[in-house]
Amino acid sequence: MDLTPDIEINQSSTDPSVRKTKYAPREATQLSVNTLFSSSQLGATPISVVCGNASSFWLLLSSNEVRQYKEPSSVSFTAGKSDQAGFFDGEATQALFAFQPTSGACLSASGSLVIGDTGNHRVRIADPQANTVTTLAGSDAGCVDGE
């Protein structure tokens, strides 16, 4: 039987966690759950998770950091300064984000992470190949009709 793994955030506990769940294909049957990280292990609450290829995933954290993990638990890319909110593009470790619970992300075809940085009213790109964070769209003004 082919198993489909899924990385998800478990918000149902006092210490939210990132876990890997295996489901039977075409069924809602949960076959196994393996907790990868708890919030206390991460040092922050996970806001959003994006699955990469079969062995990697990305996390947006409440500490305003973006981390890419290669399984089982090694960090291969980090963007943002821990617990510093703001806006700055450039080298990934110097970039600043302002994540909110509504922040989210998706993976581009090139392997970069496209991030909805809701606190900054911007769409940002974290590029692990170039080790940079850039702004794709948005501004301090937020949204203005007709502009």
Side-chain angles (χ1 to χ4, degrees), residues 121-143:
H121 308 286
R122 289 175 166 89
V123 176
R124 318 268 303 273
I125 297 177
D127 183 344
Q129 301 295 337
N131 197 36
T132 59
V133 173
T134 56
T135 296
L136 178 66
S139 69
D140 289 333
C143 177

Side-chain angles (χ1 to χ4, degrees), residues 15-19 34-46 59 61 63 65 67 69 72-73 75:
D15 189 17
S17 60
V18 178
R19 63 187 189 183
N34 179 25
T35 299
L36 302 174
F37 306 101
S38 67
S39 292
S40 56
Q41 290 170 311
L42 291 168
T45 302
L59 290 177
L61 300 171
S63 60
E65 291 178 281
R67 296 183 195 163
Y69 287 88
S73 62
V75 177

